[in-house]
Amino acid sequence: MGEADVRVAAGVVVTALREAGRSEGTIRRYQAVLDRFAAFLAGRGLSTASDQACVDFIVGQTGTRLGTLREPVAGRDVNAVRRPAVLMADALAGRAVVIGRPVIAAKDGCPVRFRPLRDDYVASCRARGNSEATLVAKDKAASRFLGYLDETGAGLAALSVRDVSGFLLRQRGLRRKTVAGLRSALADFLAFLAAAGRAPQGLAGRLPPHRHLRHESEPHLWTAEEIRRLLAVIDRQSAVGKRDYAMILLTARLGLRISDLRHLELGDLDWRAKTLKIVQRKTGRPLSLPLLDDVGWAVIDYVRHGRPETACAKVFVKHSYPFDAFGCSSSVATRLSRYAARAGIEFPPARRAGCTPCAGRWPWP
């Protein structure tokens, strides 16, 4: 390996950024850092990028010396240099270049002494058939509650209503919908603890009441013109653009939920009958919809000319190796806001701007 390999690695990173749908401005900023990093490595005669080499490069660029490459740091200038350097190091080492993966590993908020208990609880939820999204929510709730107990010194065996109420009072600054979800998960966790003989019986049924308005924040109801403007700014020449265009069109035209889009399989599409048949993830009910011409051609364009070669049965997949299905937290809604900004679409402060079925099915010609 030599300087040419370093340049190739920089090209791999740029290609990954473009396939992930990053803007040209973002790509130019990354390219500038990658070029400087390539020159730095060449000046040292290096064909790989160790953590120490990355740290040395960062201090030369920003004046900040990190103790370790992946330690938390608040400075934007440091992160603007560190992220491209880490991606370059991955490419040089032959690892997958994953755009959007955090440089700093997520911190486990559960105290070490309670983690086996928390893990047993999450495993029991999984055995009960809870979805991955529900598992994440219950994991966070249990970890936060156990962290509170660790802080206050309360013991599980002598757990009381006062302890539980004190924890919920700590959450008063959160949105009511968030507190309602936390309360529900906490009741489930307390029932688990009681069944396992780790906490007193009956606490789950004695949680203080919490009033939550389901539609506390109104969703933004998209107009047909806004959808047209949004679709018009998507780069349909790129693989990611073909995917995002088809996904947003499916939601706008047929009213599919994001969860149904993520789990849509090639076998759900009946091209001869021009129908789409699924079992809805949220309700468990079967749903049959007409496969409209513009929607069908958008899906065909993606499958034929944009979708990576993969054994995954899902129609829409991630465009980073190993090209598998979207995870539970992945959503086109995050990309939706980016396209909306490009299209000059603004949302009132109190409105949710997600891509929801309540937007209706647009009666386009």
Side-chain angles (χ1 to χ4, degrees), residues 149-160:
L149 296 184
D150 189 64
E151 178 187 341
T152 59
L156 287 173
L159 202 61
S160 67

Side-chain angles (χ1 to χ4, degrees), residues 95-236:
R95 295 188 291 267
V97 177
V98 181
I99 307 301
R101 179 175 59 193
V103 173
I104 309 301
K107 184 178 179 181
D108 191 338
C110 183
V112 175
R113 68 189 182 98
F114 284 131
R115 287 178 188 174
L117 177 63
R118 185 274 314 271
D119 292 344
D120 288 345
Y121 169 61
V122 173
S124 75
C125 294
R126 181 174 283 110
R128 281 185 274 154
N130 287 174
S131 69
E132 288 300 316
T134 300
L135 291 175
V136 170
K138 289 185 174 181
D139 185 340
K140 288 182 179 179
S143 296
R144 180 176 291 187
F145 179 60
L146 292 170
Y148 171 79
L149 296 184
D150 189 64
E151 178 187 341
T152 59
L156 287 173
L159 202 61
S160 67
V161 173
R162 177 175 294 181
D163 297 317
V164 178
S165 298
F167 167 72
L168 290 174
L169 284 173
R170 284 275 189 96
Q171 320 307 317
R172 284 180 298 181
L174 301 177
R175 293 178 60 197
R176 284 187 289 179
K177 180 178 180 180
T178 303
V179 176
L182 189 63
R183 182 186 181 281
S184 175
L186 179 59
D188 187 70
F189 183 50
L190 290 172
F192 165 81
L193 292 175
R198 301 294 299 271
Q201 297 283 338
L203 286 177
R206 299 179 65 187
L207 293 178
H210 178 79
R211 184 171 178 267
H212 165 59
L213 300 177
R214 183 174 179 81
H215 298 293
E216 182 178 355
S217 59
E218 291 294 326
H220 176 76
L221 299 180
W222 293 76
T223 66
E225 179 58 29
E226 286 176 334
I227 293 292
R228 288 192 186 97
R229 288 167 54 193
L230 183 139
L231 291 172
V233 302
I234 299 176
D235 177 14
R236 296 180 63 188

Side-chain angles (χ1 to χ4, degrees), residues 308-323:
E309 290 290 337
T310 173
C312 182
K314 301 295 187 287
V315 174
F316 302 109
V317 297
K318 293 186 289 187
H319 281 228
S320 56
Y321 186 81
F323 311 122

